[in-house]
Amino acid sequence: MKKPSPLVEITGTGRFLPDDIVTNDDLAEHLDTSDEWIQTRTGIRERRIAPPDMGAAYMGAAAARKAMEQAGVEPGEVDVIILATATPDRWLPSTACDTQALLGCSNAVAFDVIAACTGFIYAMSVAECYVAAGRAEVALVIATEKMSSIVDWEDRSTSVLFGDGAGAVVLRPANGSARGILSSHLGSNGDLADLLYRPGGGSAVPLSQQVLDEKSHLIRMEGREVFKHAVRCMADSCHVALQNAGLTVDDVQLLIPHQANIRIIAATAKYAGLPMEKVFVNVNRYGNMSSATVPVALDEADEEGLITPGSNVLTVAFGSGLTWGAMALRW
Ligand code: UT7
């Protein structure tokens, strides 16, 4: 198969993590849980929690500023902002528009993509289309999540899993460069929506006292079922994305999987055919930051020198929807 040439390059990455660290022991002070259970079942040791007055737009803008600085892009040069979030600052307007205002990107068109934990890969594929089609010279992709605002802090089966943070990348036309997006693969299955969702508080079941009393505006998850689908879908998606890129697993220098649970990461790597030495892991430090996990990991992997120019990087994610997707990149 002919190897595709990238049409779109990543020219900058950035991340933002709130300062406040909440350890498993901190959670065990008011929940029937333990550091031992959380570490054994999830690999999570601690997570960052944003202060009450810090929203997704603030965190997204902070990550975006770093990506723009690395890319040498001024706010006025950004043509499109595509922002993934499951935790918008408010229902109207989009968090992309709130972030645009914070950044001063007054020439950009800005909109949100909702695909939960797969949001970054979905947003990247939309941005790739914009840039490849010549509709944008500079695209800003942001994934930002304040998961602490949508978990039930009295539910030990979900609250211990999540954390807050944001990541961002700048995309530009590859113009003949060998670096950039090689391929992607996306999937979704709405029949399984109720495995991981927020039942109330939207237009189908508007916010009411009953919603608040039942806490149905907060995350509900069938953990074991989600686990099984996550591993299968992510491993399959990795194979398709690699095939579309004309690569094999042996060509991959680093797998950057969605960071939900170390056991899911290890099982996905195994079924995808990659040893753990080639897998990036930071779930121990941040927990599950939904769509933000992959861009935060990408920025850290770059900073740590784990990926260098020419590296083939495979990113993969899975989440509510259900949604999943993988993207092969040449760094
Ligand atoms: O971002 C994408 C979406 N999310 C995911 O990918 C998450 C997918 N699911 C998972 O990661 C795992 O299913 C969990 C970490 C959520 C749960 O791990 P598990 O090994 O599947 O545990 P379980 O749900 O089967 O629960 C086992 C036991 C239960 O007790 P019994 O019924 O065996 O007595 C739970 O009540 O562990 C109990 N448990 C806890 N115990 C202490 C559940 N949560 C906790 C907790 N601390 N925090």
Side-chain angles (χ1 to χ4, degrees):
M1 181 186 163
K2 188 178 172 296
K3 292 195 185 203
S5 308
L7 297 172
V8 176
E9 189 176 353
I10 296 178
T11 59
T13 60
R15 66 182 188 274
F16 174 82
L17 284 319
D19 290 337
D20 276 358
I21 296 174
V22 174
T23 65
N24 294 341
D25 285 333
D26 293 335
L27 294 180
E29 280 177 22
H30 57 86
L31 263 183
D32 181 15
T33 190
S34 64
D35 177 52
E36 201 265 332
W37 190 95
I38 301 171
Q39 289 221 43
T40 313
R41 299 290 182 124
T42 72
I44 300 166
R45 206 177 58 223
E46 59 191 38
R47 71 286 294 138
R48 303 296 179 99
I49 300 293
D53 60 351
M54 183 187 288
Y58 178 92
M59 293 190 283
R65 277 186 205 102
K66 291 184 183 154
M68 288 161 65
E69 193 184 336
Q70 197 181 89
V73 162
E74 294 298 324
E77 293 178 88
V78 176
D79 299 310
V80 61
I81 298 173
I82 305 178
L83 184 144
T85 190
T87 54
D89 275 16
R90 37 194 185 169
W91 289 117
L92 282 175
S94 69
T95 302
C97 284
D98 280 335
T99 308
Q100 172 188 28
L102 290 173
L103 291 171
C105 294
S106 46
N107 297 318
V109 58
F111 57 91
D112 285 0
V113 165
I114 303 181
C117 303
T118 322
F120 176 71
I121 308 242
Y122 270 55
M124 284 286 281
S125 81
V126 178
E128 181 192 15
C129 294
Y130 260 84
V131 176
R135 301 284 297 273
E137 269 289 314
V138 178
L140 185 54
V141 177
I142 303 170
T144 178
E145 304 285 7
K146 188 178 182 182
M147 298 304 288
S148 61
S149 68
I150 60 164
V151 296
D152 175 358
W153 285 101
E154 290 173 352
D155 175 8
R156 68 176 184 173
S157 70
T158 52
S159 63
V160 303
L161 305 174
F162 296 99
D164 302 334
V169 304
V170 173
L171 299 179
R172 302 194 76 140
N175 289 331
S177 159
R179 303 180 60 194
I181 299 174
L182 300 175
S183 72
S184 59
H185 170 256
L186 303 179
S188 30
N189 181 355
D191 290 334
L192 299 176
D194 291 3
L195 291 182
L196 174 48
Y197 73 141
R198 295 170 66 194
S203 61
V205 185
L207 194 61
S208 64
Q209 193 54 51
Q210 188 180 348
V211 167
L212 293 174
D213 291 344
E214 292 172 353
K215 297 194 195 173
S216 68
H217 57 304
L218 302 175
I219 287 185
R220 304 251 173 101
M221 177 168 70
E222 299 286 339
R224 274 189 210 181
E225 278 305 303
V226 172
F227 191 118
K228 281 188 263 175
H229 288 288
V231 173
R232 207 197 61 234
C233 293
M234 285 201 285
D236 288 350
S237 216
C238 283
H239 284 305
V240 180
L242 282 180
Q243 206 169 25
N244 291 346
L247 299 174
T248 70
V249 282
D250 295 333
D251 298 317
V252 174
Q253 271 74 45
L254 193 67
L255 172 68
I256 298 188
H258 174 48
Q259 309 281 318
N261 182 325
I262 189 66
R263 291 155 55 216
I264 296 178
I265 293 171
T268 302
K270 184 176 161 207
Y271 288 115
L274 279 147
M276 281 305 281
E277 303 84 74
K278 287 189 172 183
V279 181
F280 189 86
V281 176
N282 63 9
V283 69
N284 52 327
R285 288 181 283 130
Y286 304 135
N288 182 349
M289 299 181 290
S290 190
S291 67
T293 63
V294 171
V296 166
L298 203 52
D299 189 47
E300 288 194 335
D302 181 44
E303 195 174 276
E304 290 170 24
L306 298 174
I307 48 179
T308 50
S311 296
N312 293 314
V313 185
L314 185 58
T315 61
V316 64
F318 176 89
S320 166
L322 300 176
T323 56
W324 58 92
M327 185 168 264
L329 310 168
R330 180 157 309 114
W331 207 244

